[in-house]
Structures are given as C-alpha cells and as structure tokens.
Amino acid sequence: MKPAAAIEGQSRALALSTIAFTVCFAVWTIFSIIGVQIKEEMGLNETQFGLLVGTPILTGSLIRILLGIWTDQYGGRRIYTLVMLSAAAATWLLTYAQTYPQMLVAALGVGIAGGAFSVGVAYVSRWYPAGKQGTALGIFGAGNVGAAVTKFIAPFVLVAYGWQTVAQVWALGIALMGIIFWFTTSDDPVLRERKLRGEKPQSAWLELAPLKNIQVWRFGLYYFFVFGAFVALALWLPRYLIGVYGVDITTAGMIAAAYSVPASIFRAYGGHLSDKYGARRILYWTFLVSIACTLVLSYPPTEYVVRGIKGPISFQIEMGLVSFTIIIFVLGFFMSLGKAAVYRHVPVYYPNNVGAVGGLVGMIGGLGGFVLPIVFGALNDLTGIWTSCFALLFLIVSTSLIWMHVSIRRMEHEAAATDLTQLPQLPEMLPIHKPHHVGAMGPAVIEDWRPEDPVFWEQTGRKIARRNLWLSIPSLLLSFAIWMVWSVVVAQLPYVGFQYTTDELFWLAALPGLSGATLRIFYSFMVPILGGRLWTTLATWSLIFPAIGIGMAVQNPDTPYWIFLILALLCGFGGGNFASSMSNISFFFPKSEKGNALALNAGLGNLGVSVAQFLVPIVITIGVFGWFGGDPVTVTEGDRQYPMWLQNAGYIWVPFIVASAFASWFGMNDIASARASFSEQSVIFQRKHNWIMCWLYTGTFGSFIGYSAGFPLLAKTQFPDVKVFAYAFLGPLVGALSRSATGWIADKWGGARVTFWVFIGMAVGVTGVLYFLSIGSFPGFFAMFIFLFLVSGIGNASTFQMIPAIMRNEMGRLMPNADDPTRLRNAEKESAAIIGFSSAIAAYGAFFIPKGYGSSIALTGGPQAALWGFFIFYLTCIAITWWVYARRGGLLYDIERGRKTSLAPSIQPAE
C-alpha cells in the first residue's frame, strides 16, 4: 500500500491543478462574454469579432508544446505558477486597450492562460500509475468548466459594471490562484527523483522526437474536434443565440453554460469509462453521436411547399430554443467523454514525453478553438446561414471517424493477414472452401512481382502490367476531364445568366488547379499505403461529386458564387488522381519500358483535357439526358437564339465515372512489394533532386496544364470575335498526343538532353505569343500556343524519364553497402514517390497561369506581364537542366551516352 503522505500528495496535486485549470480556462474564454460588448462599442463585423474571440485561443494553443517541454524539464509547479501570473498581468492590461489592434495584442497575452492545459497534464500524470491516469486526467480536464463559470458570472458583472471590471476581477482571481498554487503544492515525484540523482533534464530536441509518429498527429485531429470545437462553440454560442433566437446576453450566457458544463465536468467520467471499457469504444461513441447532433444542428430553418392534390401544402422546419439546448447539451456531454479518451493514450505510450506529446495534441486542439470561430464568422458573412458552423463541424467529425476506423481496420487486417488470405472471397463459399481453392479466384494482391526478370516479364508480368495500364488510362482521362471542365464552363456562365466579373471567372478557372495540386501532395503517397487498386477506385468514385454538383448548380442563375468556388475546388479531385496514377503504374513496368508506359498513361490521360474542351461545347447544345437532365436555357447570341443544356457539362461524365470505377476495382491489382508507409516515402524530402525535378516538371507539365486551363478564357478575352471553342481543344490534344507518342525519344536520347531543348523551345514559344499579341494576329497567337503544347508534351515525358535514372544513379552514393537488388528496390520506391510529389508541385501551374493572366489583365490591362514572367522562368529551367544534368560532368551526362550504368555497382566495405 502507498504511504498516506503519497496519497495525500496525489490528491492535493490533482485538486489544486484542477482548480487552477478551471480559473485559467475562465480567463482564457473571457472574450466570449466581454467580446459581445466590445463588438458593439467598436462596430466590428462578424469576421473581426471572430478574430478577437479566437486570438487568445491562438496564443494558448501555440505555446502548449513549449510549456509542455518546460514542464517535463523544470516541473509543473514552477511553470504553472508562471503561466497564471503572466496571464493575470495581460488580462489587467486589457482594460487599457483603446483600439482594435491594441485589443488583439492584449488578447494574445490573455491567451497564455490556455497553455496551462499541457502543464497540468504533464504534472498530474506523474503522480499516478498507468491504470489510474485516465481517471486522474479526466478529473483534471474537467477544469474546462471554467468556460461555464465565465458564462454564469461574467454577464451579471458585465451588465452591472462593464467589461473592464470583468477583466480586472478575472485578472485578480488568476493572480491569487497562482500564488496559492505555489505555496500549497510540491514538485512531482519524477522531478524530485531527478534532483536527488543530480540529473539534468533532457534537451528539447529529445523531447520533440516522438512528434514524428503519425498517430500523434491523428490524435491531434481527434482533439481538434472534441476540444477545439468545444472551445469554439463555448466562444461562439452567446453570439449565435443572440443572433438566431434574439435572447439577451444574460440568457445567452446561461444557455451556453448548459453546453459548457457537461462538456467539462463529465470529462472525469470519460476518463473513468476509458479506463474501464477502453478509449477506442468511447471515441467511437463520441464521433457517432456527434455526427448525429451536428447533422441535425446544421439543418437551417426551411420552408417547404408540396404540390398536393388539392393545391400547395406548405410547412416549415425550424429548431426551437428548447430543442437546440437539449441537443447542444448532448453534444457537449459526448465531447467531454472524447476529450478524456484521446488523452488516455498519451501518458501510457509516451511516459517520458507527456509534456511534448500532450502539448502537440493540445496545441492542435487549441488551434481549433482559434481557427473555428474565425471560420464561423467568415461562413456567416459568406453564406448568410447561421447553421453553417454546425455543417463545418459535421464534416470535421465525419473525417475523424472515417480516418480512425480505416486505421483500426488496417491494423487488424495486417495483424491477421496470413489468416485472411486463407479465406474465400465470399462468405457463402466458406462451407465448401478447401485448401486447393486458396488463391484460385485470382487475388488482387500480387506477392511475387519481378518485372526486371526477363522470363517472368514475358510469361506473366507484361500481361498483368498492360491490363493495369489500360484500366488506369480511362480513369486518368476522366480525372483530367473533370479537372479542366471549368476551363469551358466559366466562359459559358455569362450566357446563361450569371453576372460575374472577368477576375471572378479567372478565379473559377484557376481554383481547380490550386486544389488539384494540393491534393496531389497527399495522393502521391497513397498508393504504397493503401494499394493502387483500392486508391484508383476511390479516386475515380470521388469525381462523381463535382460532376453532379456542376450539373445542379449551373441550372439556377441565383446559385451563390461561393457554391461555384466550392465546386471548382472539388474538381481538384481529378487533378490529384494524376500523382497516384503515375506512382501506381511506375511499379508495374521494368526500366526498359517504364518511360513509354508512363508516357502512355500520362499522355492518354492528359487527353481528358482535350476531350472535355471538345465534347462539352457539343453536349451542352443537345438534350442528351432528356427530361432527366433538366430544362435548357435559351441563349441569345447576336440575332441567333438556341437552347443550352449547360448542366450536361457535368452530367455527361457520370456514367463513364461509374463504369471506370467498377472496372478499376474488379480488374486492377496491388503489388505487395510496393507497399510502404508515409515515413518510408518521406525520405524523398531529404533528396535535393526531388526539389530540382519539382522545379523542372513545373516548367513542362505545369505549363501544359496551366495553358490548358487558361487558354480558352484568355483567347476569348483577347480575341472576342473569334469562336475560340472550335479550336481550344486542339492545344491540349497536341500536348497529350506528343507526350504519349514521344516517350521513346527520352528513352533513346536521354531525358536530360531532351528536356534541355524542350525549355529552349518553351522560351521561344512564349516570345512568339508575345509578338503575335502585339500585332493582334489570332492565327499566329494560336500557332504559338500549339507549339507550346507540343514541346511541353515532349518535356512531360522526358522529365519523368529522368527521375528513375537519377535515383538509380544516386543509390550507389546513398546506400554504398547495400546489394544491387536492395538498391533497385529503394530506387523504385523513391522514384515513384518523387514522380507523384513532383507532379503535385507542378500542378500548381493550373492555378498560377490562369490566375497570372487574370491578375496581369486586372493590373496592366493585358496578359503580357504574366507571359514575360513565364519567359524568365523558362530561362531558369534551361540553366538548371544544363548545369545539374546535361553538361559534361553532369549527373546524367555519362549515363545518357552509355558510358555508365544507372545503378552503380555495390561498394564493398574496407577490409
């Protein structure tokens, strides 16, 4: 049994830490009450109010890692006291702020109080054994009730004496608590033992080492919802209740407290349940109930009119104040359980780094409390719908649940992988399943894959590789079609009643490039993690959302602009697919055929741009889907009138997406040897050639996709009398065909040499465009763009051909003691990752080139400034390609002339 003194020390540390955290949390959320009056006095808009309320949360979040590390190093008693005294000084000084910037500066200081959480977690956990840490941390975390204390008491002080008095009283309270804490607590047992041994604390770098683990960041996402959303709602609810239900500040504070109280005090119960039933089960219940609550809360007040038999029947759906209070209470209760469940893991798995790990998870959660109120305000300004804040929370919690469930299932599948391979593919076959049936149905995962073995390749490999390639190409073609469909649709929006400026139209054309490029960064790592078959299927299915969304949105000229912005961003799903598709196909083919295979996949996939720009102008003039596709809009162009089904620009792809997704799932394969975790692939960020190839590929593919996205609208603005859409598809067609048909050139002559001359051609092409723009010649302007598409297509193939050659050559230096098969295997994995990542970076060309045109036209009246910028960029590409790779002494000079193999012989260690 433990000595009574030790038990007394545990209890005192826990009790005083909880009380101190309650006081800190009350100060941290003070702006949720006083901010309402400050908003009225200063005339702040919703976004400014959200920023003011969220600024303390920013400080309290960002300093959590630092405070957690200091607690591990110097002890919670000392750091906790410093935090409270610092926050007290800042809160008192808040009363002297006279302007909005001064308010923001003072709010940054007030936020120091929020850093107390990581201090308390590290301090309290050291007093308790692993089996009781969940309950102890749950009790400590109940200090979140400080938000409710502010909601209960502050409104009465505010109404009677003003917000300045509230700040002064709260400042005195936290200062007094800091003094009491210092004189009534003692150092934790770990720190005392370290002092007795005379040990120095470990360095901050060692404290940060566990943060490289992906599960720490996944916990951060969970905490972003259960804690960050809790803080955000604690701050936002008074404003929401006043705006939606018209209650006064006192009533709003009381109702908001009905949310804050269960979201705080039941955290202790959540710790107990996590100890008894397991944190996983508690998190599942938290996310499932939260999804239901936020879904109901996100539904805005709506009036319906049903065309009944005897006439219209109208009714209204709207949540009353009582119903809202009950649901928000339930949401707060389950959030409290989730907060405890997340932190149950930290002291168990990271006992020596509780401060750093707990600080990071707490920081991410706290950032939710900062970011979300700002986003809530911005959503109100943008959508005009109060319930938009709960719609955002629904998306966040749904993402958290899906990620957690997928991760759990993958863990279980890997643990039982051997047993699972022995099962039939359908449970109905289990009673008659015999050992000789194992694998008879053609497993999707290929365990033995040796494309460099000539015998294996001829007998087995080529047939499988080609099947996967020809299934990958239509999926990629559809992806490019969806990605670039806005390049055609935006120019047609004015004809069907949408009154947007030229700059707004260029934004719609550019945003798919921005989201597509960003998604490629993530997509480039997904094939080795989930497998090419599964990921290709999911990526293809995702195209359904923007396709149907566009078809619905363009039918109503009253559709808000922000919906079009969201749809444009969703089209980035198509752009992201390229990175994973190329990474997947690169695993299937041997070195001798890799360049041509990648060129075919990318080149014929790129045809989706041309197909979209050729097909869409045709299908929008035909009622392809009859009554099911909706009514046309009558368009007047000069003296001519004709019907336009602009919705067909989205709907036309839906049946092909469905067919391609099914074909990918039933026809493609996964390669077991291609599996790799993110950490295994992330080594490419240390390779300088990864970053160099990102720059060069931006010059080739970035130009191709950027010119594809921007050319139709650019040509329409510069030559308004020309029927641009009769010719626009030809440029991407030439670029796609040149890529697919010229892969052999780089295989024969060397990627570096071909790429060098490609960039010279790109620079010449841009100067030609500038010249013909200056004399107003559309034929010359069009011819120069066709030339640019031609050479960019050649360059797309040649730059990708360079990457495997570079990495095979580099493996001799990076892995001098490894054998050739090991080097080759690592070169293939790194090459695939670099191919995917460089394609992600290059895809930003689809955003910057159209946006460059739009900005240049807005600032200077013409696109010439943007084109001169592209010319200078091509000059840098010429210099880099020659100096690093193509010159005598360059990395690929001897390889491309047959003087050296691309996989250096093994270097034996010295005897």
Side-chain angles (χ1 to χ4, degrees):
M1 296 180 65
K2 287 188 176 181
I7 296 176
E8 181 183 354
Q10 282 182 343
S11 301
R12 185 169 64 249
L14 177 58
L16 288 168
S17 295
T18 304
I19 296 170
F21 184 46
T22 302
V23 175
C24 289
F25 215 90
V27 172
W28 197 31
T29 57
I30 190 173
F31 277 97
S32 63
I33 298 300
I34 69 174
V36 176
Q37 190 174 87
I38 293 173
K39 178 181 185 296
E40 294 177 357
E41 291 180 1
M42 292 191 166
L44 307 179
N45 61 31
E46 296 289 352
T47 304
Q48 289 173 320
F49 172 71
L51 179 61
L52 178 64
V53 170
T55 296
I57 312 305
L58 175 64
T59 309
S61 303
L62 293 179
I63 65 173
R64 285 186 171 188
I65 292 182
L66 182 61
L67 291 178
I69 292 173
W70 285 351
T71 302
D72 284 342
Q73 293 179 317
Y74 306 113
R77 176 170 171 260
R78 179 184 304 176
I79 303 303
Y80 220 149
T81 303
L82 290 174
V83 164
M84 285 185 276
L85 294 178
S86 300
T91 307
W92 185 274
L93 292 174
L94 172 66
T95 61
Y96 295 97
Q98 300 295 323
T99 65
Y100 183 65
Q102 290 174 350
M103 287 284 181
L104 292 178
V105 173
L108 286 171
V110 172
I112 295 173
F117 178 73
S118 60
V119 181
V121 167
Y123 180 65
V124 170
S125 66
R126 289 182 171 182
W127 287 92
Y128 287 86
K132 295 184 178 180
Q133 285 174 340
T135 302
L137 292 178
I139 294 172
F140 165 75
N144 290 162
V145 78
V149 172
T150 295
K151 303 290 192 315
F152 270 121
I153 303 174
F156 297 101
V157 180
L158 176 70
V159 172
Y161 302 105
W163 70 264
Q164 290 89 349
T165 303
V166 177
Q168 292 171 349
V169 172
W170 263 236
L172 291 173
I174 193 172
L176 180 61
M177 187 65 233
I179 296 171
I180 293 173
F181 190 86
W182 174 256
F183 287 105
T184 57
T185 58
S186 58
D187 290 332
D188 63 77
V190 175
L191 182 64
R192 290 202 304 267
E193 290 180 12
R194 195 168 67 207
K195 286 182 177 180
L196 289 174
R197 293 193 299 266
E199 295 179 1
K200 293 182 178 180
Q202 64 179 357
S203 70
W205 293 113
L206 292 177
E207 293 280 357
L208 292 171
L211 304 190
K212 67 182 180 180
N213 298 325
I214 188 66
Q215 73 267 24
V216 175
W217 297 88
R218 190 162 61 245
F219 288 162
L221 174 63
Y222 305 159
Y223 208 61
F224 185 89
F225 175 75
V226 294
F227 177 75
F230 156 70
V231 174
L233 287 177
L235 298 170
W236 185 255
L237 277 179
R239 174 76 184 114
Y240 181 91
L241 291 164
I242 293 170
V244 175
Y245 297 106
V247 300
D248 57 35
I249 184 64
T250 304
T251 305
M254 298 293 287
I255 296 175
Y259 160 76
S260 301
V261 169
S264 303
I265 62 174
F266 286 109
R267 182 166 182 164
Y269 185 52
H272 169 71
L273 292 177
S274 297
D275 285 341
K276 185 174 182 180
Y277 298 108
R280 179 202 293 186
R281 183 178 298 179
I282 303 305
L283 278 177
Y284 263 119
W285 275 107
T286 296
F287 290 152
L288 289 170
V289 174
S290 297
I291 285 174
C293 290
T294 53
L295 179 62
V296 173
L297 292 170
S298 65
Y299 200 86
T302 308
E303 294 182 357
Y304 288 94
V305 177
V306 179
R307 296 177 182 177
I309 298 174
K310 297 181 180 180
I313 303 172
S314 61
F315 60 94
Q316 183 176 351
I317 295 178
E318 183 174 2
M319 183 176 294
L321 182 58
V322 175
S323 300
F324 177 86
T325 304
I326 293 172
I327 295 176
I328 207 73
F329 181 95
V330 173
L331 178 63
F333 171 77
F334 278 92
M335 279 180 160
S336 70
L337 303 185
K339 283 182 282 189
V342 171
Y343 264 89
R344 178 67 180 88
H345 298 80
V346 176
V348 174
Y349 287 97
Y350 300 100
N352 300 319
N353 305 94
V354 175
V357 176
L360 175 69
V361 174
M363 183 196 75
I364 296 174
L367 285 176
F370 166 70
V371 172
L372 290 175
I374 300 174
V375 177
F376 291 167
L379 285 174
N380 272 9
D381 290 337
L382 186 62
T383 67
I385 301 174
W386 278 105
T387 58
S388 57
C389 59
F390 293 107
L392 176 61
L393 296 183
F394 172 78
L395 292 176
I396 294 172
V397 67
S398 298
T399 302
S400 300
L401 175 62
I402 292 170
W403 193 6
M404 183 181 78
H405 184 70
V406 169
S407 301
I408 290 171
R409 286 293 170 262
R410 184 185 175 202
M411 173 186 69
E412 293 173 345
H413 188 278
E414 289 176 350
T418 304
D419 294 334
L420 288 174
T421 58
Q422 305 302 313
L423 296 176
Q425 295 190 18
L426 296 173
E428 293 84 354
M429 310 309 297
L430 187 59
I432 57 173
H433 188 65
K434 304 299 180 183
H436 67 272
H437 290 132
V438 174
M441 298 300 292
V445 178
I446 301 175
E447 301 291 341
D448 179 25
W449 187 251
R450 293 170 283 114
E452 300 294 344
D453 181 343
V455 177
F456 174 86
W457 179 249
E458 290 298 330
Q459 294 180 353
T460 307
R462 175 177 278 117
K463 180 175 65 175
I464 296 174
R466 285 183 175 177
R467 185 181 71 246
N468 281 269
L469 173 62
W470 292 114
L471 288 173
S472 174
I473 287 172
S475 171
L476 190 55
L477 185 148
L478 290 167
S479 297
F480 270 94
I482 293 294
W483 196 23
M484 289 293 107
V485 73
W486 278 108
S487 65
V488 182
V489 172
V490 291
Q492 303 291 348
L493 290 177
Y495 292 109
V496 294
F498 293 92
Q499 304 300 316
Y500 297 143
T501 65
T502 300
D503 192 50
E504 286 175 327
L505 293 176
F506 269 112
W507 265 109
L508 290 177
L511 278 181
L514 179 64
S515 60
T518 304
L519 286 173
R520 282 190 179 196
I521 297 174
F522 301 99
Y523 277 46
S524 59
F525 299 103
M526 296 310 295
V527 167
I529 294 174
L530 296 180
R533 169 175 169 260
L534 174 60
W535 188 250
T536 301
T537 303
L538 293 175
T540 306
W541 273 119
S542 70
L543 305 177
I544 282 282
F545 300 107
I548 295 178
I550 291 172
M552 297 173 63
V554 298
Q555 295 186 61
N556 184 3
D558 294 328
T559 302
Y561 182 67
W562 64 267
I563 289 182
F564 283 110
L565 293 177
I566 292 175
L567 289 172
L569 289 170
L570 289 178
C571 285
F573 287 150
N577 194 17
F578 179 82
S580 54
S581 178
M582 296 297 285
S583 174
N584 183 42
I585 293 303
S586 70
F587 286 112
F588 280 94
F589 287 85
K591 172 180 174 288
S592 59
E593 298 185 30
K594 193 181 297 291
N596 191 52
L598 291 176
L600 283 171
N601 189 55
L604 297 180
N606 290 169
L607 274 177
V609 180
S610 183
V611 169
Q613 294 180 349
F614 172 77
L615 187 62
V616 169
I618 295 175
V619 298
I620 62 177
T621 62
I622 305 171
V624 178
F625 299 99
W627 66 270
F628 188 74
D631 298 326
V633 174
T634 301
V635 174
T636 301
E637 191 173 3
D639 297 332
R640 189 167 69 96
Q641 288 187 336
Y642 57 90
M644 179 181 290
W645 289 265
L646 190 55
Q647 60 267 33
N648 288 351
Y651 290 156
I652 192 64
W653 311 109
V654 172
F656 300 102
I657 291 171
V658 173
S660 179
F662 276 109
S664 298
W665 179 252
F666 290 106
M668 296 188 76
N669 299 94
D670 292 327
I671 298 177
S673 61
R675 290 293 179 93
S677 67
F678 173 79
S679 60
E680 291 175 310
Q681 299 176 77
S682 64
V683 69
I684 67 170
F685 298 126
Q686 304 172 23
R687 311 297 191 222
K688 69 175 183 178
H689 294 288
N690 172 53
W691 302 105
I692 295 174
M693 292 310 300
C694 285
W695 186 268
L696 299 183
Y697 195 56
T698 300
T700 55
F701 178 77
S703 297
F704 166 80
I705 201 65
Y707 291 147
S708 298
F711 176 75
L713 195 54
L714 175 67
K716 193 68 177 175
T717 58
Q718 300 305 301
F719 301 95
D721 297 331
V722 177
K723 294 184 178 180
V724 174
F725 292 106
Y727 313 99
F729 73 94
L730 291 174
L733 176 65
V734 169
L737 292 178
S738 67
R739 177 173 192 160
S740 59
T742 59
W744 64 271
I745 297 177
D747 285 340
K748 182 175 182 180
W749 299 102
R753 281 192 283 183
V754 174
T755 302
F756 174 75
W757 288 105
V758 160
F759 285 128
I760 292 177
M762 299 290 287
V764 171
V766 171
T767 57
V769 171
L770 284 164
Y771 171 73
F772 287 109
L773 268 178
S774 66
I775 64 174
S777 170
F778 177 76
F781 168 88
F782 182 68
M784 285 296 98
F785 262 106
I786 291 294
F787 177 73
L788 284 170
F789 279 113
L790 173 68
V791 292
S792 70
I794 298 172
N796 287 339
S798 63
T799 46
F800 263 10
Q801 193 275 347
M802 292 169 63
I803 293 172
I806 291 169
M807 295 316 300
R808 287 193 183 96
N809 186 65
E810 282 287 276
M811 282 302 148
R813 178 180 64 84
L814 297 171
M815 304 178 69
N817 297 320
D819 55 25
D820 284 348
T822 301
R823 289 187 193 172
L824 181 61
R825 186 164 54 252
N826 280 274
E828 293 296 309
K829 286 187 178 181
E830 291 193 28
S831 296
I834 293 174
I835 285 172
F837 184 73
S838 62
S839 74
I841 300 302
Y844 281 107
F847 170 75
F848 286 112
I849 289 180
K851 193 65 188 72
Y853 291 150
S855 299
S856 179
I857 292 172
L859 295 173
T860 67
Q864 285 82 356
L867 290 165
W868 278 115
F870 303 156
F871 175 78
I872 295 171
F873 173 74
Y874 295 139
L875 293 183
T876 67
C877 293
I878 293 170
I880 292 172
T881 305
W882 179 79
W883 179 258
V884 180
Y885 301 115
R887 68 179 176 90
R888 187 182 297 273
L891 187 68
L892 298 180
Y893 182 86
D894 290 335
I895 292 174
E896 293 184 352
R897 286 160 178 80
R899 302 174 184 176
K900 178 183 176 182
T901 63
S902 62
L903 190 62
S906 300
I907 299 175
Q908 299 299 326
E911 295 290 333

